[in-house]
Amino acid sequence: MRLVDANLPFQVVYSTFHHEYLGYLISAHVVQILPNGELSLVHQGLHPDSMSQFEEGLTEHDAQLIRLITEISPRQVVKRFGGNPRDEHGFFTTRFTGEIIKLVDDYIQKRLGKIFPQLIHSPIYEMGNDGYPAQYKIEALEEPASVLFHFRRKEEFTRYYPTIKLNGEKIDWQKKGAVLLCTQPAWMLLDGKLFTFSPEVDGKKLRPFLKRENIIIQADKEDEYYRKFVTQIVEKYPVFPKGFEILDHRAKPSFHLTVKEHDQSSFSFIREVDYEGFRFPLDPFNPAKAIYERENQEIRFHRIHRLFEEETEICQFFEKITPNKNSLTPWEYVNKEKGLAWLSTHTEEIKEAGISIRQENPQYQLNLNRPSIELNTKEEGDWFDIQAVVVIGEFRIPFIKFRNHILRGQREYTLPDGSIAILPDEWFSDYRHLLEVSETREDDILSIRKYQAPLLNFPSQPSKTREKLVDALKQVDEIPEIDPPQGLKAQLRNYQQAGFNWLYFMKENGMGAILADDMGLGKTLQTLSLLLKEQESGITTPTLVVLPTSLIHNWKNEAQKFTPALKIYIHTGVNRIKDPAIFQDYHLILTTYGIVRQDITYLQTFPFHYIVLDESQMIKNPESKTAKAIRKLISRHRLSLTGTPIENTVMDVWSQMAFLNPGLLGNESFFKRFYVGPIEKEHDVRRSAKLRRIIYPYILRRKKQQVEKQLPARIEKLHFCGMAEPQKDLYEETRSTYRNYLLELINQGAWKKNKLNILTGLQKLRQIAIHPQMIEPENYQLEDSGKYQEVKRLLRQILTKKRSKVLIFSQFVKMLQIIKSDLEKEGIPFAYLDGGTKDRQKQVDNFQEDQSLKVFLISLKAGGVGLNLTAADYVFILDPWWNPAVENQAIDRSHRIGQTRTVFYYKFITEESIEEKILKLQQRKSQLSDDIIQIEEDVYKSLNEVDLGVLLQ
């Protein structure tokens, strides 16, 4: 069989054909055109997979049609309804029965109903018996035909039949063998002409008359037939009756909503339209409504001509407020609680739309007046007293009477006259939290603590009332300027001064606070400024700072650098003194979360001035032993520092606030029911907004881009890390071995000859200071490196930011491989570049362009120069290099022309290791000459016995 040549003229044609089981279908083909312009016998089928061969001759209209036609091809039908496309015959002879036939027919007819309107201006043919697709040309008529149904009612029977007219002329369609190609709606083929109808006709109403001239209904069945079938015909189509009447009515409609109580658990809301006494459901919508009426032997139909625009407007109104949107019965059997809430919310709106509300059950009368609340507050020392009255029509009832209803979620409240008031839905959101945590100090008066003032911010209250209620919060945005402490050895940037002011304000007002600035913005400095200010004001009671182990040394270094007047005590280690009395002689007590958990028995007996939690997400699980221990500590003031106030779940917020402001968010079970479930499972936007309103005064969060103008273009930070215990043991063992070896060589005068062995030892110490897995991968875990714990902690914060990316440099490929393996396990995408990378530019381009790619692992030698990586705004230097110039080259990969953001450069130094000593050696060498060190290898050559001894101390 020859196929159509796409390089020669061809034409797209559409063919009707009859399938043994599926009836009439449509197929698409291309036919080669002869030199004389006529269609040849060379043809082939068209489907989505073959369209590309003929794309120059296809329009977008053709492409859409071909895709739609393919959906009803026998092969696709078999596949869609669970058969094997390779065995069509088997499907149709075994499975194509009963309900499957109905489903398939409905599926095909719906798609044919979409296809035929698009075929009118396309070449249409009848397929020949030999499969030739252009056998007989079909003419699509633009003028629609009309149908008139004739009914002849006699004493014994009723006879009815349809007639079809085109351009006013009656068509003898039954005798000439008309074919229904589609039934939804009807498309008819007769004498090579394709007919459609106006108004649209259900082809199933015409199908019986293809084989018979009329249908007879016997008198004993006419009542049911007229009621069910003839009523539909009268509503939708022109009818010529004999033996009964059709009375036409035209009137203005009115609209009604009837509340029907089914049982104790559900309502139905019946939407009706009334045309001067003729009342019927508002949907389904037809141009007319026929009402059957019989009196003895007299039959008549009332045909009410409906006003489309007015009914549509009301239908659209109801559609917007549907009570059961996702239900198969959106207006019926609506859960009673849900129905009451819906009715309470929309009663006024329904009445304003001109719709009357009727209650069907006289024994259960709802009071449809919308309840409102009059609220007044009064500040009494550390308390707010709340006096509230509920107004429902003529009734004024103290709000406290509704407390149990709101706490139990009960919307029905019985009024003094016996009618039922429906409490508004928003009350259960707005006031539930307040009623959960408030106390009753006097009759009809609720009281809350001053730091719970945000609970009085109700968006549902009128604006004037709300303004009164939140007066106490306004000053949060108008915080007074406070002079920094005199002994502070730093110049606070503007945003840091604002943060210091805010921390001082929160302390003065007795409110626990979360400082949640982005990493690198100086949370530690702002906190130390506050604590030094307290010390200078005469506060002698010590502050407890609780930290991850890896941050102890960092805090000690920053405190010594910026606030040297603060005396520091580090409460860690196996041999720590377990007597809180020792704290009295210090201003800052630094300890870890693990130590607090272990020592809580006596730590909870000491009243601190402040308790500061750094990386406070460590208490995010309120059920953890750590979180429970932290909540037992005693202090006048409390402060949390974190770059990620919410890591995984809304429950993180409760755990933080339970420490900072106990009682603000209620107890744990209430918070889970009222906030966690609705926000995380139901995506309740209102509940989320309420929680945000309550906690916003206690959280100060500035992102880097908000304060970018106040930052220098590049911020460099030495980030000191303590060693993990296994790391420390391995380091000390290795250091001791090589130091003894060096001393022995010096005594023998042989150290120069064996210098390479000593340098090998230095290299091992450098690797252990980064991660002991680099030396003994089998014996150590990821967490056995204090430095790696810090790298991962900061990396997690960067991964939560939408715009931020990080370059991670190490001169050790082994270390990059450790990180690479860890990132792969966690499913974190990254770019990678070392000396063995072949697609260097691809890695760079991916990192620069792909926003989801936030991490780039780079080795010193492979990526220290020649790369433009301005997408990064964080640079991690995992190990100090002998040559500072090489570090600057690494930083300059991101800090160069094209960079529009501040670059934060973290140089990770393992404390009390060779890395600290390298820093000092760098400084000493560079003081001799700026260019004394050119490359790292030169430093090795220049080390003398004194330098080596210092490095191995």
Side-chain angles (χ1 to χ4, degrees), residues 734-752:
T734 307
R735 184 194 64 81
S736 179
T737 298
Y738 279 95
R739 177 166 176 75
N740 293 337
Y741 178 56
L742 174 63
L743 292 175
E744 183 180 341
L745 290 175
I746 291 174
N747 289 334
Q748 295 173 0
W751 75 271
K752 287 184 179 181

Side-chain angles (χ1 to χ4, degrees), residues 784-944:
D784 289 339
S785 165
K787 177 180 290 193
Y788 193 65
Q789 290 179 36
E790 272 303 280
V791 170
K792 281 300 293 290
R793 180 181 70 83
L794 295 177
L795 181 58
R796 287 190 193 98
Q797 294 186 31
I798 293 172
L799 292 175
T800 64
K801 305 175 190 297
K802 289 183 178 179
R803 297 176 59 208
S804 291
K805 295 191 174 195
V806 59
L807 308 179
I808 301 180
F809 282 97
S810 176
Q811 64 181 306
F812 297 106
V813 173
K814 279 185 181 180
M815 187 61 212
L816 295 179
Q817 292 292 336
I818 290 171
I819 303 175
K820 179 182 177 182
S821 176
D822 192 17
L823 295 180
E824 287 172 343
K825 287 179 183 177
E826 294 193 18
I828 298 170
F830 59 90
Y832 183 89
L833 179 62
D834 66 22
T837 304
K838 295 180 180 179
D839 54 348
R840 286 171 56 95
Q841 194 55 47
K842 182 180 179 182
Q843 293 293 315
V844 171
D845 292 342
N846 288 346
F847 181 76
Q848 287 288 97
E849 297 166 10
D850 186 348
Q851 193 53 44
S852 67
L853 208 58
K854 292 179 172 290
V855 183
F856 200 156
L857 306 178
I858 310 175
S859 72
L860 166 65
K861 290 184 178 179
V865 293
L867 301 180
N868 187 339
L869 297 168
T870 53
D873 53 342
Y874 287 88
V875 178
F876 286 2
I877 306 294
L878 295 196
D879 38 278
W881 300 316
W882 301 105
N883 186 352
V886 179
E887 292 180 5
N888 289 329
Q889 286 178 345
I891 297 168
D892 287 343
R893 298 314 93 221
S894 63
H895 187 248
R896 61 195 305 160
I897 293 173
Q899 179 59 268
T900 59
R901 293 175 291 165
T902 300
V903 177
F904 288 95
Y905 154 45
Y906 284 80
K907 185 174 181 178
F908 293 87
I909 303 296
T910 299
E911 200 160 26
E912 298 179 357
S913 78
I914 188 173
E915 293 185 342
E916 266 196 309
K917 298 175 177 66
I918 288 174
L919 285 182
K920 293 174 182 176
L921 183 63
Q922 282 180 343
Q923 294 165 1
R924 182 163 63 85
K925 296 282 185 183
S926 63
Q927 287 170 4
L928 298 176
S929 170
D930 289 338
D931 60 356
I932 195 171
I933 301 174
Q934 295 300 320
I935 57 174
E936 185 163 346
E937 286 77 3
D938 290 337
V939 178
Y940 280 104
K941 294 176 183 178
S942 67
L943 292 176
N944 56 36

Side-chain angles (χ1 to χ4, degrees), residues 635-807:
S635 65
R636 295 193 192 99
H637 307 289
R638 296 186 171 193
L639 171 62
S640 288
L641 310 178
T642 178
T644 53
I646 298 180
E647 277 197 327
N648 300 316
T649 168
V650 179
M651 204 63 207
D652 297 357
V653 172
W654 185 88
S655 190
Q656 300 246 13
M657 286 300 167
F659 161 70
L660 294 167
N661 298 298
L664 174 68
L665 298 181
N667 62 40
E668 186 177 348
S669 60
F670 160 74
F671 188 79
K672 285 180 178 177
R673 289 195 315 273
F674 193 68
Y675 289 109
V676 179
I679 292 172
E680 295 187 354
K681 295 179 181 177
E682 303 164 24
H683 307 291
D684 189 325
V685 176
R686 284 178 55 193
R687 201 62 60 86
S688 180
K690 179 178 179 63
L691 180 59
R692 186 165 55 250
R693 287 194 305 274
I694 292 171
I695 65 174
Y696 91 90
Y698 308 105
I699 301 177
L700 181 62
R701 178 159 178 75
R702 277 87 54 92
K703 294 189 176 181
K704 191 181 72 169
Q705 54 264 35
Q706 291 175 260
V707 298
E708 203 91 59
K709 292 179 181 179
Q710 299 179 32
L711 295 172
R714 166 171 142 182
I715 295 178
E716 300 183 13
K717 181 177 180 180
L718 286 176
H719 196 81
F720 288 92
C721 314
M723 291 192 201
E725 288 302 320
Q727 181 183 23
K728 185 182 293 185
D729 292 342
L730 179 62
Y731 185 89
E732 286 303 316
E733 179 184 337
T734 307
R735 184 194 64 81
S736 179
T737 298
Y738 279 95
R739 177 166 176 75
N740 293 337
Y741 178 56
L742 174 63
L743 292 175
E744 183 180 341
L745 290 175
I746 291 174
N747 289 334
Q748 295 173 0
W751 75 271
K752 287 184 179 181
K753 293 181 181 180
N754 294 277
K755 185 176 179 181
L756 185 59
N757 293 336
I758 300 298
L759 294 178
T760 300
L762 296 183
Q763 190 81 329
K764 282 189 177 182
L765 291 177
R766 294 177 67 195
Q767 291 176 319
I768 296 169
I770 305 169
H771 205 302
Q773 273 194 353
M774 295 174 68
I775 301 298
E776 298 182 22
E778 303 296 329
N779 299 328
Y780 293 92
Q781 305 299 317
L782 281 175
E783 60 270 18
D784 289 339
S785 165
K787 177 180 290 193
Y788 193 65
Q789 290 179 36
E790 272 303 280
V791 170
K792 281 300 293 290
R793 180 181 70 83
L794 295 177
L795 181 58
R796 287 190 193 98
Q797 294 186 31
I798 293 172
L799 292 175
T800 64
K801 305 175 190 297
K802 289 183 178 179
R803 297 176 59 208
S804 291
K805 295 191 174 195
V806 59
L807 308 179

Side-chain angles (χ1 to χ4, degrees), residues 82-102:
N84 183 352
R86 297 179 180 176
D87 184 18
E88 292 180 22
H89 182 74
F91 173 80
F92 288 118
T93 54
T94 58
R95 300 188 58 187
F96 195 62
T97 58
E99 194 63 31
I100 293 291
I101 293 178
K102 293 179 183 178

